[in-house]
Amino acid sequence: MMSSSSAKKSRPKVSTSHTEVELTVEDLSKQAGVSVRNIRAYQTAGLMPPPRLKGRLGIYDHEHLGKLELIRDLRQQGFRLEAIKDMLDKTPEGAWSEYSLISDLFSTTFFTVEAPKRKALSEMAAHWQTSATPEQKERLSRNGLYRRIGPDEVEMLSPALERIGIQLAELNVPLDTVLDLQDELIKHTRIIARAYVEQLFLTLAEGIAAAEAEAKAKGIPVDPAAIAPLTAMFERLRPLAVGSISAAFPVVLQQEFDQAIQQQLKRSHTG
């Protein structure tokens, strides 16, 4: 399977705004970074619908672009066309851009932590066509994912969350709602992370600490390599921890959605 880090270095980032667009196949190729030849091949394989004809000219829109982005990401992760077609058949219509974003984020953050990205606090609400209020800036500064490095500058420790926020802005989700969700996300994922660390590392760490204390009592220098088992275990744990959350959350989210719908229907019938 292709390395995600090497596959994504030169990949173009395109806007996922659902503003109505008309693209020729050459335009589509340029925006998505996919050759015209591959676009034709994806159409022949049934992965993409044909363009709308405008006279004799084939016209593509944002739905084609979003689906092509998703196909591109999955191909770069090593998926075969048959597997991609099966995935696309199960993807909700019109959600191609959102699924492409999540595919990208999952493949690039599954094994490692992203490099921080600097950004001015004054620009944090730009995608909501407004400026962040002092209260909103303060929330961004204290939630643990933004490190203040200047009067109006922060380091975003998870640039991926910003890209998800941009998608939510395009879906007209208010900034305060996004901040509320982010606060809840951080609170609960921190609890999960702490549980993983305490339950999986505590015993091993206590054993290492006891060995170090015994060595120190005997005047034996502590071996710096003693921490190596913890580091090695953590590197093996990271993808399992991330994977367990991604495996459980869709099920729980669907259950909560179904329950909320049922409650709303009951209120409507009794109201």
Side-chain angles (χ1 to χ4, degrees), residues 1-4 7-9 11-14 16 32-34 42 47 65-80 84 87-88 96-108 163:
M1 194 174 284
M2 186 180 294
S3 168
S4 61
K8 297 179 184 298
K9 284 181 181 177
R11 195 187 65 196
K13 296 294 181 182
V14 299
T16 54
V34 177
Y42 297 155
L47 274 67
L65 177 58
K67 180 173 278 193
L68 185 57
E69 289 175 331
L70 180 54
I71 295 170
R72 175 199 64 199
D73 287 351
L74 294 172
R75 287 292 287 162
Q76 289 179 342
Q77 292 173 44
F79 287 96
R80 300 174 65 87
I84 294 175
M87 293 181 199
L88 292 176
W96 317 119
S97 294
E98 287 78 11
Y99 274 60
S100 174
L101 173 64
I102 298 306
S103 171
D104 179 20
L105 301 184
F106 190 73
S107 65
T108 55
R163 299 198 290 278

Side-chain angles (χ1 to χ4, degrees), residues 21 154 161 180:
V21 294
V154 293
L161 272 182
D180 288 342

Side-chain angles (χ1 to χ4, degrees), residues 152-182:
D152 188 49
E153 190 174 24
V154 293
E155 267 193 340
M156 296 186 298
L157 303 183
S158 179
L161 272 182
E162 186 201 27
R163 299 198 290 278
I164 291 176
I166 292 171
Q167 290 290 105
L168 293 173
E170 292 179 351
L171 292 172
N172 297 318
V173 178
L175 176 57
D176 279 324
T177 300
V178 172
L179 292 175
D180 288 342
L181 289 170
Q182 194 173 94

